[in-house]
Amino acid sequence: MIEDATTGGFIAPVAMEDDLAELFPGDRGVLDPEVRRTLALILHRRFLLAERNRTEWRTLLDNQTVIESRLNDLYIRLVVDHEHGLAYKQQIRIEELDIPILLRDTPYTRSETLVLVHLRTVYERESVAGEAAPRIDIEDVEQTVLSYFTDADGDISRRQKAVRDAMRKLSNDGIISEETTGRYRIGPLVEVVLSAEKLTELRDWLRETAAERLAGSDAADAEEALEDVSS
């Protein structure tokens, strides 16, 4: 018998002042506001970064079990990478279960992938050289990535816009951060998004594509692209 929780066989009423305050009309949530915000942020963003979201990261670590439980109820897995200081979600898929898919795989566009390849290459090169926080200028990104484009990608203005839009997207995802106008720091998240194996695969593809262009009419651009991919 649990005397402090029951009275004459009935559940003891909870004092009104101990009830969680409603955050909105009809609110039946039981999590504290800061935990709810962290959970919502994980669902909303591709990544939760310790460096960029310090408060939410601390809240996640302090309440990881309950946040994981809420996500698991939706057939979503939480991955916490302490080494890189990031957390992200994955859709659980089980063949034996008819699971509603809440998370849709949204791959990076071709332009974003080309920019990623260059950023990952620079990050790898600078890290080997002992640079803890590699940096890059937008002009460097444009010079290299534009050499991968073809006439089908439109005129130079359209290609530059595609590169800058890609940089903006990757900045929003936390892969890069703009320190001053046009100068970016490449974060370790680039290693997670683009593994060494995938980088090698994409480099091989770019070499093959550039070699094909070299055999055609775009010889000058193709030679430049081959040099960039090989560096």
Side-chain angles (χ1 to χ4, degrees):
M1 180 175 180
I2 307 175
E3 295 181 354
D4 60 348
T6 63
T7 302
F10 294 95
I11 301 296
V14 178
M16 183 176 297
E17 58 270 20
D18 293 335
D19 286 344
L20 289 174
E22 289 188 351
L23 299 182
F24 51 86
D27 181 14
R28 294 294 180 268
V30 297
L31 299 181
D32 290 334
E34 61 271 18
V35 181
R36 295 194 201 193
R37 171 175 169 74
T38 300
L39 175 59
L41 207 58
I42 291 171
L43 287 168
H44 176 64
R45 294 185 179 176
R46 189 184 290 258
F47 302 103
L48 180 71
L49 305 178
E51 182 179 0
R52 180 175 292 190
N53 309 105
R54 296 182 184 276
T55 300
E56 290 79 11
W57 179 259
R58 185 72 261 163
T59 299
L60 168 61
L61 297 185
D62 291 343
N63 300 271
Q64 185 171 337
T65 299
V66 69
I67 290 176
E68 284 182 326
S69 174
R70 294 299 187 276
L71 291 173
N72 289 168
D73 284 340
L74 300 175
Y75 297 107
I76 294 174
R77 178 183 295 110
L78 177 67
V79 179
V80 180
D81 186 334
H82 294 276
E83 179 183 355
H84 293 94
L86 66 96
Y88 56 94
K89 56 194 177 296
Q90 294 178 334
Q91 177 70 58
I92 294 174
R93 289 179 168 84
I94 303 175
E95 292 184 1
E96 296 78 13
L97 298 178
D98 182 16
I99 297 176
I101 303 301
L102 298 180
L103 303 181
R104 302 295 179 182
D105 294 328
T106 306
Y108 285 114
T109 65
R110 178 171 173 271
S111 297
E112 292 161 358
T113 301
L114 292 174
V115 171
L116 264 175
V117 169
H118 183 54
L119 294 176
R120 180 70 166 82
T121 300
V122 172
Y123 184 88
E124 182 179 65
R125 183 179 66 228
E126 295 299 311
S127 296
V128 170
E131 177 58 58
R135 289 167 173 79
I136 196 168
D137 295 319
I138 185 64
E139 291 80 11
D140 179 15
V141 178
E142 286 183 343
Q143 180 180 0
T144 299
V145 177
L146 289 177
S147 67
Y148 301 150
F149 286 20
T150 66
D151 292 340
D153 295 303
D155 58 23
I156 186 64
S157 176
R158 183 175 178 181
R159 300 179 197 181
Q160 286 179 324
K161 182 179 184 303
V163 172
R164 291 177 183 263
D165 287 346
M167 291 289 284
R168 191 175 302 110
K169 165 63 176 173
L170 299 179
S171 178
N172 290 337
D173 283 349
I175 296 171
I176 54 177
S177 55
E178 190 171 19
E179 296 185 325
T180 57
T181 303
R183 185 164 179 78
Y184 297 83
R185 179 170 64 86
I186 309 172
L189 178 55
V190 73
E191 288 187 308
V192 178
V193 174
L194 195 59
S195 65
E197 294 77 11
K198 190 64 177 179
L199 178 64
T200 299
E201 179 184 330
L202 288 170
R203 278 176 172 172
D204 291 342
W205 170 71
L206 286 172
R207 288 193 187 97
E208 293 173 4
T209 302
E212 292 174 359
R213 289 168 57 193
L214 188 60
S217 58
D218 255 343
D221 290 342
E223 287 180 356
E224 183 179 353
L226 278 172
E227 292 176 0
D228 292 331
V229 174
S230 301
S231 62

